[in-house]
Amino acid sequence: MNEKLNASRLGVATTIAVLIIWAICSILVMTMGSMMINMTGAMVHGDLSGMGWSLSFFGVMAGGLIWSIGAGLTAWLIAIIYNALGPKSV
């Protein structure tokens, strides 16, 4: 069976998924800033307790747009490469 990925659909789905995740993350940072900075520090193995978040409406919107489109384009490129590799050899 030679299954090909629909690159456009995968790209759009990824863009939407990342935008949803971005919105959830932004809401968490806005409502629980200190808890989120501690969690971010734990994720990067660092002490970020002396830092703070700097969020503006424009920054949240621009960041969400840029990251989601970038992720969608990356997923689209992955599907193009995947399809170009041809059928799986046995």
Side-chain angles (χ1 to χ4, degrees):
M1 180 184 322
N2 185 11
E3 303 246 354
K4 295 217 177 235
L5 296 174
N6 184 319
S8 297
R9 289 175 59 109
L10 181 62
V12 170
T14 302
T15 299
I16 293 168
V18 169
L19 196 54
I20 291 168
I21 292 167
W22 181 269
I24 292 168
C25 182
S26 295
I27 291 168
L28 289 172
V29 168
M30 285 183 228
T31 59
M32 298 184 288
S34 63
M35 183 185 291
M36 293 296 105
I37 201 87
N38 289 336
M39 186 177 76
T40 301
M43 290 168 57
V44 298
H45 308 287
D47 181 11
L48 304 181
S49 60
M51 298 178 65
W53 297 109
S54 175
L55 290 176
S56 68
F57 180 76
F58 176 77
V60 170
M61 292 299 166
L65 189 65
I66 292 166
W67 277 106
S68 62
I69 290 173
L73 290 172
T74 301
W76 171 82
L77 181 60
I78 289 169
I80 295 292
I81 294 169
Y82 175 87
N83 290 337
L85 291 175
K88 183 172 81 172
S89 59
V90 180

